[in-house]
């Protein structure tokens, strides 16, 4: 069962976190789960944010928490300087 109100078993309702969901028969919080970031199965990895060396799932978005040398974290993206920020978050 994968229904939010019957996750993995009848009557097992998901209520954990800000955005509870049933993913693969288990309850997760889509708001902050690194393996289910914003949607079931959407992994938050450094590949998701260009030039990142560390990431975290926050508010259902994969955001950089650290960047490669020469880049700075600005609003969850890795930017070459404070005035120029490329796509990646």
């Amino acid at each position: 069962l994968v229904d939010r109100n019957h996750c993995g078993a009848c009557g097992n309702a998901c209520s954990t976190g800000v955005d509870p969901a049933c993913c693969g028969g288990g309850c997760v919080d889509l708001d902050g789960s690194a393996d289910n970031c914003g949607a079931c199965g959407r992994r938050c990895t450094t590949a998701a944010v260009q030039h990142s060396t560390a990431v975290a799932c926050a508010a259902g978005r994969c955001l950089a928490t650290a960047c490669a040398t020469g880049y700075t974290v600005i609003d969850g993206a890795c930017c070459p300087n404070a005035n120029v920020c490329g796509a990646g978050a």
Side-chain angles (χ1 to χ4, degrees), residues 20-87:
C22 183
C23 296
C27 293
V28 298
D29 180 11
L30 297 179
D31 195 58
S33 169
D35 291 326
N36 301 284
C37 188
C40 290
R42 184 182 295 155
R43 295 202 63 216
C44 180
T45 66
T46 55
V49 183
Q50 191 175 22
H51 306 295
S52 66
T53 58
V55 293
C57 181
R61 290 182 51 221
C62 189
L63 305 173
T65 57
C67 299
T69 302
Y71 292 85
T72 302
V73 175
I74 298 176
D75 295 328
C78 292
C79 305
N81 64 53
N83 298 318
V84 179
C85 192

Side-chain angles (χ1 to χ4, degrees), residues 1-33:
L1 298 170
V2 293
D3 181 289
R4 181 169 133 169
N5 295 312
H6 306 283
C7 188
C10 291
N12 185 32
C14 295
S15 60
T16 304
V18 176
D19 190 10
C22 183
C23 296
C27 293
V28 298
D29 180 11
L30 297 179
D31 195 58
S33 169

